[in-house]
Amino acid sequence: MRLASLLAILTTSVSLATAGDAVTHRDSSACRAEGLFFELRAVPLYEASPSVMERGELVMLGPGYALSRVWALSLLFATGSRVVAPSAARPVNGEFALGGARLELTYFLSDKGSIRPFCSAGAGLFSIINVGGLGYNGNGIHVGAGVGWEPTDFFRGKLGVEYDRMRFFNLVGQPEGQFEPFALNALGVSLSASFVPGIVP
Amino acid sequence: MIRSAVVVIMLIGFFSVSWAVAGQDDSTHVLPGRIVLLSAITVGTVTAVHLYQARAWWEGPRAPFRFENDWVYALNIDKLGHAYGAYTLSHLFTYSMDWSGFSHSTSIYYGSVLGLAYQLYVEVEDGFHQEYGFSPGDAFSDVIGAAIPLAQERFPVLKNFALKWSYYPSTEYVDALRGGSGRVFIDDYQGQTYYITMDPHFLMGDHPPWWIPPWLGVGFGLAARDLQNTEARRRLYIFSLDYNFTRIETESSLLRSVFTVLDHFHLPAPGLVLDGSTVKLRLVY
């Protein structure tokens, strides 16, 4: 049901993007083709493998650099939580605070218009640690797609969906026990806002 | 000894660069000698600060790099400290590059980048320390602090606002020092207050009331008390008068540089302190 909702949002987003491209060409207000920006993103996550992860969310903030009108590279720091389903195979279970950083490449499918669809992919390092200081270290990958909106030359909003896979393979805090590496898979709806200073060095 | 030296070096660096930059125009005439001089000062300062921090913060056991959230730490006063640190460092690098002859837009752009880079380097070092870990919340604050000068350049009305810091050593910190503790004042969050200050004159049109001098501002501050006691720890909210030193007109570049430095600090002024349900009037806070 949730997946269906996400697909509906994605379809609507792409439709909006297409409509926007057709009727709205506001290049004069579009953000600069190249330069620094700062992005804030919130991603409620929906379980893709409920036997491992029950729920979670991500909030990310970081700097980025637009390499051109269609390519952008971001370094996003992430905070959030993960509730991992109990398992005898893992020495630490329960609710974890998540922290991490992700390097992300975004490609806008059009260089014209103030509403443009995009796709993105990234990779990063993550930790999930409980209140006792115990948890896991790992890495993750992400892919996403959605639509970006640039109503002015200093702001960009993005709405999209993303898939996150995080794989944890090291213990943190020296808890007792052995474990097999495990992965958390999640789908999320992402909403982001970027500030583009537009200052040219 | 090292601690004092580092603080002195940083203040001298900040002061000298501010002095030098006073009165610079916006054109680009890069001066290689000044770049070399400032690069040397920067490398020396960063090295000295690193050595100091290695003794003060990172002396304990190291651990594999990890991210660790600390959103409840010090009632978030440390987060304000990170934002203020990135903001102030970005200004410092901006002034330095201005003085070296770069255009102001170049200076402010790379000033923010360098300010953020330094703050993140500290955070990465924390990530390898068993007691700390890389805090995403600290990184958030660093990013926000480094973005503020760029936002102020993009929207000049924001230049009427500033981040400021005041410090008075807490009893707990002084006792710890007397007990031989190697604690650093930067971690004395009970002694620190962070302010967002505003120059209200921009709201008053061309003819502000005569009884509000140009240098008078207002500030909203946040502090914390009793952090060691989980039951009693609390935030203090301060509504205070403030001094906008850069609004004092002077022909002296020396004084302008002094004022530029002072405008990063909140100096004692009358204010209202909201402590729990109690409001206290302080003639000096």
Side-chain angles (χ1 to χ4, degrees):
Chain A
M1 185 60 190
R2 284 173 174 166
L3 186 59
S5 304
L6 292 177
L7 288 173
I9 290 170
L10 179 61
T11 309
T12 308
S13 302
V14 172
S15 304
L16 274 172
T18 311
D21 258 4
V23 299
T24 313
H25 288 282
R26 298 174 60 186
D27 282 351
S28 60
S29 68
C31 298
R32 280 191 56 79
E34 297 172 11
L36 193 65
F37 64 87
F38 299 91
E39 180 171 351
L40 172 66
R41 187 186 306 175
V43 190
L45 293 166
Y46 297 82
E47 71 273 24
S49 52
S51 63
V52 179
M53 194 193 86
E54 294 181 354
R55 61 184 164 79
E57 78 284 329
L58 277 177
V59 176
M60 292 181 277
L61 178 70
Y65 188 84
L67 304 162
S68 70
R69 179 89 175 116
V70 294
W71 288 103
L73 191 63
S74 311
L75 173 63
L76 294 168
F77 302 104
T79 184
S81 68
R82 283 285 201 279
V83 176
V84 176
S87 165
R90 289 185 287 275
V92 194
N93 293 285
E95 183 158 0
F96 297 91
L98 181 143
R102 173 201 285 174
L103 202 58
E104 183 177 301
L105 191 63
T106 301
Y107 175 71
F108 287 91
L109 304 181
S110 166
D111 64 350
K112 293 183 174 62
S114 60
I115 299 180
R116 298 182 295 154
F118 71 89
C119 56
S120 63
L125 300 173
F126 296 91
S127 305
I128 52 173
I129 295 176
N130 68 14
V131 290
L134 307 177
Y136 305 91
N137 252 347
N139 56 30
I141 57 167
H142 129 275
V143 291
V147 61
W149 176 49
E150 296 170 356
T152 73
D153 62 348
F154 60 83
F155 174 81
R156 179 191 304 127
K158 288 197 296 184
L159 175 66
V161 292
E162 65 177 60
Y163 166 74
D164 285 292
R165 175 181 173 82
M166 296 176 188
R167 185 170 177 273
F168 295 97
F169 43 81
N170 281 331
L171 288 167
V172 172
Q174 299 175 329
E176 292 184 1
Q178 300 294 319
F179 78 107
E180 288 294 318
F182 64 97
L184 305 179
N185 298 282
L187 284 169
V189 179
S190 67
L191 184 63
S192 78
S194 296
F195 165 56
V196 185
I199 294 167
V200 184
Chain B
M1 182 60 191
I2 291 179
R3 180 185 315 159
S4 307
V6 169
V7 172
V8 168
I9 287 171
M10 291 187 74
L11 286 175
I12 290 173
F14 198 0
F15 178 76
S16 57
V17 167
S18 304
W19 184 8
V21 79
Q24 289 287 303
D25 63 18
D26 197 26
S27 56
T28 296
H29 298 289
V30 178
L31 304 165
R34 292 186 178 185
I35 294 176
V36 171
L37 176 64
L38 279 171
S39 300
I41 290 173
T42 303
V43 170
T45 305
V46 168
T47 305
V49 172
H50 175 86
L51 292 173
Y52 168 59
Q53 289 172 331
R55 284 185 49 174
W57 288 342
W58 303 320
E59 201 168 33
R62 289 171 74 85
F65 182 83
R66 73 191 188 287
F67 296 91
E68 187 158 356
N69 285 293
D70 61 350
W71 287 107
V72 296
Y73 177 62
L75 294 176
N76 296 137
I77 297 297
D78 67 313
K79 302 293 177 285
L80 295 177
H82 275 269
Y84 174 80
Y87 169 83
T88 304
L89 270 179
S90 298
H91 276 166
L92 177 58
F93 282 117
T94 298
Y95 301 150
S96 304
M97 293 183 67
D98 273 342
W99 182 65
S100 299
F102 291 96
S103 71
H104 186 61
S105 57
T106 300
S107 302
I108 205 154
Y109 185 96
Y110 288 109
S112 287
V113 169
L114 290 170
L116 178 60
Y118 180 79
Q119 291 288 99
L120 292 178
Y121 139 75
V122 173
E123 208 54 47
V124 169
E125 279 283 353
D126 279 355
F128 288 101
H129 195 282
Q130 192 164 303
E131 274 188 41
Y132 306 119
F134 184 111
S135 162
D138 290 356
F140 278 27
S141 302
D142 295 336
V143 171
I144 291 168
I148 289 173
L150 291 167
Q152 288 176 320
E153 196 67 14
R154 181 66 177 77
F155 307 107
V157 69
L158 295 178
K159 291 181 178 176
N160 292 294
F161 299 85
L163 294 186
K164 295 189 181 182
W165 176 74
S166 73
Y167 177 66
Y168 188 82
S170 68
T171 309
E172 183 264 342
Y173 172 68
V174 172
D175 289 345
L177 284 187
R178 285 178 180 150
S181 159
R183 281 189 58 188
V184 292
F185 74 96
I186 294 175
D187 283 337
D188 179 21
Y189 293 115
Q190 297 185 93
Q192 302 179 26
T193 307
Y194 291 95
Y195 291 87
I196 294 177
T197 64
M198 183 182 80
D199 176 358
H201 293 83
F202 80 102
L203 298 172
M204 300 174 186
D206 294 334
H207 303 289
W210 63 269
W211 45 272
I212 304 180
W215 47 265
L216 190 62
V218 293
F220 170 67
L222 203 58
R225 294 290 184 272
D226 291 325
L227 289 172
Q228 279 69 35
N229 185 336
T230 52
E231 298 296 320
R233 65 181 195 164
R234 64 199 186 278
R235 290 192 181 95
L236 267 57
Y237 303 91
I238 298 101
F239 300 90
S240 170
L241 294 179
D242 184 56
Y243 313 108
N244 296 314
F245 289 96
T246 49
R247 300 299 167 118
I248 301 173
E249 292 188 9
T250 176
E251 295 298 316
S252 163
S253 60
L254 172 64
L255 275 180
R256 275 206 299 275
S257 65
V258 171
F259 292 158
T260 302
V261 173
L262 286 177
D263 252 358
H264 288 79
F265 302 96
H266 174 83
L267 299 187
L272 291 173
V273 179
L274 180 60
D275 183 356
S277 58
T278 310
V279 180
K280 295 174 186 168
L281 173 64
R282 294 280 183 84
L283 291 179
V284 174
Y285 187 93

